[in-house]
Amino acid sequence: MKIVVAIHNAVNEQTWQEVLKWERAVHPGWEQPQLLRFLGRPKDLSPKARLRSLIGYAPPFDRHDWFIDRGDGAEVRYVVDFYRGKAAKGAGAGAAAQPMFIDARPALDSFGAVVDRFKFNAMQ
């Protein structure tokens, strides 16, 4: 159980770093956001994940919605899809770490989130 908790904490920390990457890019100079809560939605595909699966990509194995406060009292929702990655070449069946890809981005539920997505993608 100790290992499961450690893995869960590491995934949560990696997810938080993905959220911060977005926040620092599109809102530089703002105070550090605070995580308010997150909601596991493993059976719900995000619109992006649904579209990707329609064109042949594997669906995510999990989804979360993370709710943050940027410091202005407004709640901002992030959609996080968790995908299985490919095993490294030469990694046997008993490899210690399961590779994973975390796709975190602001939910498209407000005009501000749409602007944030455009700004972030323009920087890439």
Side-chain angles (χ1 to χ4, degrees), residues 7 12 25-26 35 44 50 60-61 68 79 84 88 92 94 100 103-104 107 115 117:
I7 291 170
N12 283 343
V26 296
L35 177 64
D44 297 334
R50 183 172 286 113
F61 66 86
I68 67 164
V79 175
R84 283 187 174 79
M100 170 186 328
D103 184 9
V115 171
R117 297 268 288 265

Side-chain angles (χ1 to χ4, degrees), residues 15-107:
T15 303
W16 183 242
Q17 293 307 313
E18 290 296 314
V19 170
L20 290 179
K21 180 170 64 174
W22 276 86
E23 288 296 308
R24 289 178 183 135
V26 296
H27 298 286
W30 287 32
E31 290 187 32
Q32 176 141 336
Q34 300 295 313
L35 177 64
L36 299 173
R37 67 185 184 285
F38 61 87
L39 174 66
R41 299 176 63 181
K43 296 192 185 326
D44 297 334
L45 288 179
S46 67
K48 182 178 179 181
R50 183 172 286 113
L51 179 63
R52 286 176 51 91
S53 65
L54 286 174
I55 60 173
Y57 289 96
F61 66 86
D62 198 4
R63 172 189 170 178
H64 287 177
D65 285 0
W66 284 39
F67 299 86
I68 67 164
D69 179 353
R70 290 186 175 137
D72 60 359
E75 195 172 273
V76 178
R77 182 170 65 103
Y78 272 77
V79 175
V80 184
D81 289 321
F82 298 92
Y83 293 91
R84 283 187 174 79
K86 293 183 180 179
K89 288 186 178 183
Q98 174 69 33
M100 170 186 328
F101 172 70
I102 298 171
D103 184 9
R105 69 256 180 224

